[in-house]
Amino acid sequence: MACCRTFDHHPQPLIGPSILNSNLALLASECEKLLKAGADYLHLDVMDGQFVPNLTFGHPVVKCLRSELGPKPFFDMHMMVACPEKWIEPMADAGANLYTFHLEAASDVESIIRKIKESGMKVGVGIKPGTSVESVLPYASLVDMVLVMTVEPGFGGQKFMEPMMAKVELLRKQFPKLNLEVDGGVGPTTIDVCAKAGANMIVSGTAVINSSDPGAVMNSMREKVAACLS
Ligand SMILES: O=C(CO)[C@H](O)[C@H](O)COP(=O)(O)O
Ligand SMILES: [Fe+2]
């Protein structure tokens, strides 16, 4: 099981299933199944209907999930919200471990990073497909993780955008110790390019959830990432 320690060392291969397309009415048991099958962390997609044209859940659900699952599982909050600063304290209080906001939604990036750190959570910053990698470079040394979106945020089950790998390559080259996450359309058919580009945190939704053997899918992706990191 991953924990905050993960972010204090050289990047590790970590698989974080996205529960977006799972049965949300059975959220806790779906998460338990994924953790038992070998998930390193849980990627929880928060959408507010403003930053993206879709709506999921917020901190009250995360708080209940924490209480159901106990203190161990690592919660990676993918905050697809228009006002990222608004939810920092509620998410920290709900038991979130990593708070990833979108650069496009932030008016004062450094202040948001500082507030997240003060709340005790790790910090991630994400960029949408249309956002240049150059725009995130000034913040890469201030955060624990950079998320490169490989689909337009808002929905699971979309097609992987391979041109985004150039962003991952550049970030890995300039920041060898940084955690780099890819999210969107990642699964057995797209993991190779992600691993070769240098991603170490792999979000995978439908490819894991729809598989008859989620554990095997996650293990195989982890091995591919590990082979490229070493
Ligand atoms: O952030 C997301 C969408 O905005 C999801 O994390 C992502 O789409 C995962 O699902 P899939 O692997 O099915 O694409
Ligand atoms: Fe996500």
Side-chain angles (χ1 to χ4, degrees), residues 35-175:
L35 290 164
K36 258 196 193 134
D40 296 298
Y41 66 99
L42 296 171
H43 179 87
L44 304 174
D45 290 300
V46 174
M47 303 186 188
D48 68 349
Q50 285 186 56
F51 182 71
V52 288
N54 200 1
L55 196 60
T56 54
F57 52 83
H59 55 93
V61 169
V62 175
K63 193 165 193 165
C64 294
L65 192 60
R66 175 58 78 201
S67 132
E68 286 296 310
L69 299 182
K72 266 189 170 175
F74 189 89
F75 289 181
D76 163 28
M77 307 307 311
H78 182 188
M79 301 299 295
M80 288 166 273
V81 298
C83 295
E85 58 278 7
K86 194 169 169 182
W87 310 112
I88 296 171
E89 276 311 321
M91 277 299 176
D93 176 63
N97 301 99
L98 166 63
Y99 190 99
T100 303
F101 66 98
H102 269 271
L103 191 66
E104 302 84 1
S107 47
D108 186 343
V109 178
E110 291 195 23
S111 147
I112 293 176
I113 292 173
R114 201 171 41 248
K115 281 180 186 155
I116 298 170
K117 285 183 179 171
E118 282 166 6
S119 80
M121 294 184 289
K122 299 291 178 185
V123 190
V125 60
I127 49 171
K128 297 206 287 182
T131 302
S132 74
V133 68
E134 285 74 21
S135 54
V136 81
L137 296 179
Y139 310 108
S141 59
L142 305 177
V143 298
D144 300 290
M145 182 270 268
V146 171
L147 159 64
V148 174
M149 286 304 295
T150 45
V151 297
E152 208 53 60
F155 300 91
Q158 302 183 77
K159 192 176 177 304
F160 179 76
M161 298 164 82
E162 193 163 338
M164 298 304 120
M165 293 304 97
K167 298 182 185 178
V168 178
E169 277 166 23
L170 187 141
L171 283 160
R172 176 55 72 224
K173 209 169 161 196
Q174 294 200 14
F175 302 93

Side-chain angles (χ1 to χ4, degrees), residues 203-217:
V203 177
S204 184
T206 47
V208 169
I209 302 287
N210 292 349
S211 163
S212 56
D213 191 347
V217 173

